Amino acid sequence: MAMETKFAPYLLEILWNRLLALAEEQAQVLMRTAFSTIVREAGDLSAAIFDRRGRMVAQARTGTPGHVNTMARGMRFFLEEFPIDTLEPGDVLLSNDPYKLAGQLNDMCLVTPAFWKGRCIGFFASCCHMVDVGGVGLTADAHNVFEEGLQVPFCKFLVRGQENRDVVRFIRVNVRTPNEVIGDLYAQVAAGEVGARRLTQMLEEFDFADIEELADEIVNRSENAVRAAVAAFPEGTFRYACDNDGFEHPLRIEVSITRQGETLVVDFDGTAASVERGINVPLAYTTAYTCYAVKCIVAPDVPNNEGSFLPFIVRAPRGSLLNPVHPAPTAARHIVGHFLPSVVFGALEKALPEKVPADSAAGLWVTQLSGFAGKEQPFAFAFFSCGGMGARREKDGLSVTSFPSGIQNVSTEIIESSSPVVMRQRELRPDSGGAGRYRGGLGQVIRFEVRSHGPCVLSAMYDRVRFAPRGIHGGASGAAGLVLGKDGRELPSKGRITIQSGEQVTLRLPGGGGLGDPCERAREAIEADVREGYLTEAESKRIYG
């Protein structure tokens, strides 16, 4: 039965694509005006449009689940602190609360209210990674959140269009790279202003007072589509458990997925307790990557907005690794957070075995460097690296591709021109993808040095060193990661390490797991050679048996 709608189908399609274009323009403005390579080149950001009620309606294509999905749930905290009727044109809101927003202090969320004819009609929000927020720096080895840097409460960055001078001063004096940080915040401001201006143009063009009815239509359609997909999910409880590298020792993560009518409940009961290291994952971030993983398999074609989240319930024991209590440290929460889709896929594989890919390298490898580029010239610089994706159902895994975060590898030229880092080697890692009917994607080998003034600090945030990405259905596991220092000695995969100027460090990133029996791949290759006339039937039998 057709769904009742206030919008003609053609008009709804036009308006929906218009919203997507607004969100994408917002993201592109942010990337093009950003000061840091993390935002400008790696794309470690997200941008989205929200209605008056704080519901996410549309998101930019650019972005990460850890940013956009936490923003979708976190907007209510901004509105609790600043009710919509108290906001004025030119106000811009800011916070980096790791427990209510994106999970770490380095991720700043900035919200721009959009006004039309003197009335707030919605919000444009963006979240992006700041290269530095003070403290001990971006590292996995802090013991509490207070060590990790500056905490920015829910506040106004701009007040009626004017800079909130005290907020800016507090940020400036607490970070190592104030120009980049403040510059990126103003890039977020510019992006929000462009989005708001385009939205008012759209309302004027279509003679709308706001987007509330349009938002209802989009959110309801998305929710109904996901609930229909969930209703077809098999009955029962599907469980999976595995170990993550952890910090000093491996950490157990357990999950169960149960369908309750048209709702899927994902419960991490049994997962290890939180630790006194910065790899804890706040529940908001746990929810973000869990919903993303479930949606990839259960309802991949439904747009990502408020409605598509409603059929999912995510639980984790309070005080656990996936739901820590303040002031547990969280700076490197991505190490475990990016690992969660592999855990969720392990349970989904038992329910929908024909839809789940093999394990990927998963955790983004983050290399944070700090020291002095000159005698009195401090620097802080981070670059991201990706391993291989797991093999897919009918294709090999992608090599050197960030999944599930979607962040890009930054080119060698950009890294070297923006920092004292010199790349000595950067190439695909041979044979790192797991064998299978479909092979896992390859990882990469990176060898670099830092031309600093004296020693510098390398903050390592790497994973899949103890436990390689798993192959499925007879496929082999991908290669585990490895970190090597001077003279080939093995370095820790997490924590701060002092390295000398010119000392070379080698990163060997994991490859993805394989899928299916490798003999099937060989057989299909031989059959293809016979068809093409490269082999005779007799020769193929001698080779294949």
Side-chain angles (χ1 to χ4, degrees):
M1 185 169 123
M3 182 178 181
E4 291 187 11
T5 175
K6 296 182 179 180
F7 298 90
Y10 75 88
L11 179 59
L12 183 61
E13 185 71 13
I14 290 171
L15 293 172
W16 168 241
N17 280 284
R18 188 71 168 266
L19 290 178
L20 292 178
L22 295 183
E24 188 62 26
E25 183 175 7
Q26 178 194 7
Q28 291 301 321
V29 170
L30 174 51
M31 291 181 70
R32 291 176 183 180
T33 57
F35 280 48
S36 70
T37 57
I38 289 177
V39 179
R40 188 176 66 245
E41 303 293 336
D44 193 5
L45 68 117
S46 285
I49 304 172
F50 295 77
D51 66 9
R52 280 177 51 86
R53 287 162 281 180
R55 300 181 302 172
M56 189 175 80
V57 182
Q59 69 162 90
R61 177 184 56 188
T62 303
T64 76
H67 284 159
V68 74
N69 289 359
T70 53
M71 280 198 309
R73 296 302 177 89
M75 180 61 75
R76 70 180 186 272
F77 298 114
F78 282 100
L79 294 181
E80 286 173 4
E81 187 71 29
F82 300 100
I84 189 169
D85 293 334
T86 68
L87 296 171
E88 300 180 70
D91 287 349
V92 174
L93 313 179
L94 176 68
S95 180
N96 68 346
D97 189 317
Y99 285 86
K100 295 178 179 178
L101 297 171
Q104 66 170 199
L105 296 176
N106 287 73
D107 287 327
M108 295 279 190
C109 185
L110 188 140
V111 177
T112 301
F115 283 82
W116 170 236
K117 295 182 178 179
R119 177 171 174 264
C120 183
I121 54 172
F123 304 89
F124 284 80
S126 61
C127 183
C128 60
H129 182 101
M130 299 296 155
V131 67
D132 186 71
V133 287
V136 295
L138 183 60
T139 178
D141 60 2
H143 291 83
N144 59 64
V145 73
F146 300 110
E147 296 179 21
E148 293 181 327
L150 177 66
Q151 299 182 59
V152 181
F154 292 89
C155 64
K156 289 187 178 181
F157 185 68
L158 299 184
V159 181
R160 296 189 295 276
Q162 299 300 310
E163 183 181 276
N164 189 339
R165 186 167 176 266
D166 288 338
V167 169
V168 172
R169 289 173 65 206
F170 271 117
I171 295 173
R172 248 184 203 285
V173 300
N174 277 282
V175 303
R176 297 172 179 84
T177 56
N179 291 339
E180 287 82 355
V181 172
I182 299 300
D184 281 355
L185 287 172
Y186 271 106
Q188 289 180 266
V189 171
E193 289 177 349
V194 169
R197 188 161 60 248
R198 294 286 187 265
L199 181 59
T200 59
Q201 291 171 354
M202 172 181 154
L203 296 183
E204 185 175 24
E205 180 179 342
F206 291 94
D207 195 25
F208 291 166
D210 50 42
I211 60 169
E212 297 307 295
E213 288 187 355
L214 177 59
D216 285 338
E217 188 76 22
I218 292 168
V219 169
N220 291 339
R221 281 174 174 264
S222 299
E223 181 182 358
N224 292 337
V226 174
R227 290 198 185 280
V230 169
F233 191 85
E235 293 186 354
T237 297
F238 303 92
R239 304 179 187 277
Y240 183 71
C242 64
D243 291 322
N244 176 266
D245 281 6
F247 199 99
E248 290 93 349
H249 53 78
L251 296 169
R252 192 72 168 171
I253 300 178
E254 298 186 13
V255 68
S256 65
I257 300 178
T258 307
R259 177 168 70 86
Q260 296 179 358
E262 295 181 341
T263 300
L264 275 184
V265 179
V266 184
D267 197 322
F268 290 96
D269 188 32
T271 292
S274 62
V275 295
E276 290 188 357
R277 297 291 186 176
I279 59 173
N280 299 295
V281 189
L283 185 59
Y285 200 79
T286 295
T287 301
Y289 270 99
T290 299
C291 289
Y292 172 75
V294 174
K295 193 170 171 297
C296 279
I297 304 303
V298 176
D301 297 325
V302 180
N304 201 48
N305 55 51
E306 174 76 14
S308 62
F309 298 131
L310 294 177
F312 304 136
I313 297 173
V314 179
R315 299 171 180 156
R318 181 174 169 80
S320 70
L321 181 69
L322 303 181
N323 186 9
V325 178
H326 187 275
T330 66
R333 84 306 188 223
H334 65 277
I335 291 174
V336 176
H338 293 181
F339 184 81
L340 291 181
S342 294
V343 182
V344 173
F345 285 172
L348 290 174
E349 182 190 349
K350 298 177 181 180
L352 302 168
E354 298 307 313
K355 291 188 176 183
V356 178
D359 280 3
S360 298
L364 193 70
W365 280 36
V366 180
T367 303
Q368 175 87 10
L369 298 156
S370 59
F372 286 85
K375 189 173 182 180
E376 296 181 359
Q377 185 184 353
F379 77 92
F381 184 82
F383 66 88
F384 301 155
S385 312
C386 312
M389 280 185 65
R392 296 163 288 176
R393 282 293 150 186
E394 297 179 354
K395 295 180 180 179
D396 292 343
L398 297 172
S399 297
V400 190
T401 300
S402 177
F403 177 84
S405 73
I407 293 173
Q408 302 174 54
N409 287 277
V410 177
S411 71
T412 296
E413 292 80 4
I414 293 295
I415 291 173
E416 291 187 339
S417 64
S418 305
S419 74
V421 176
V422 178
M423 290 288 178
R424 293 301 184 185
Q425 179 185 12
R426 198 174 189 188
E427 60 187 40
L428 293 174
R429 183 181 177 188
D431 302 321
S432 55
R437 181 181 182 185
Y438 298 106
R439 295 170 177 162
L442 299 178
Q444 60 181 313
V445 178
I446 297 174
R447 183 163 50 88
F448 70 92
E449 64 184 70
V450 184
R451 292 181 177 175
S452 56
H453 183 78
C456 72
V457 175
L458 161 64
S459 178
M461 287 167 276
Y462 313 137
D463 206 66
R464 292 286 200 185
V465 172
R466 287 188 172 110
F467 302 102
R470 178 181 62 109
I472 61 174
H473 302 307
S477 296
L482 187 64
V483 186
L484 300 174
K486 185 178 179 181
D487 300 325
R489 75 182 190 281
E490 190 169 342
L491 298 178
S493 59
K494 295 179 182 70
R496 287 170 291 174
I497 308 159
T498 299
I499 59 174
Q500 301 301 316
S501 178
E503 180 179 346
Q504 295 189 6
V505 176
T506 301
L507 309 179
R508 296 180 183 173
L509 277 76
L515 188 152
D517 186 349
C519 293
E520 287 292 307
R521 186 185 188 97
R523 181 181 61 80
E524 291 173 358
I526 291 171
E527 288 176 352
D529 283 347
V530 171
R531 286 195 303 272
E532 296 295 329
Y534 298 120
L535 289 174
T536 65
E537 287 283 356
E539 288 172 331
S540 72
K541 287 180 180 179
R542 282 200 305 273
I543 296 171
Y544 192 67

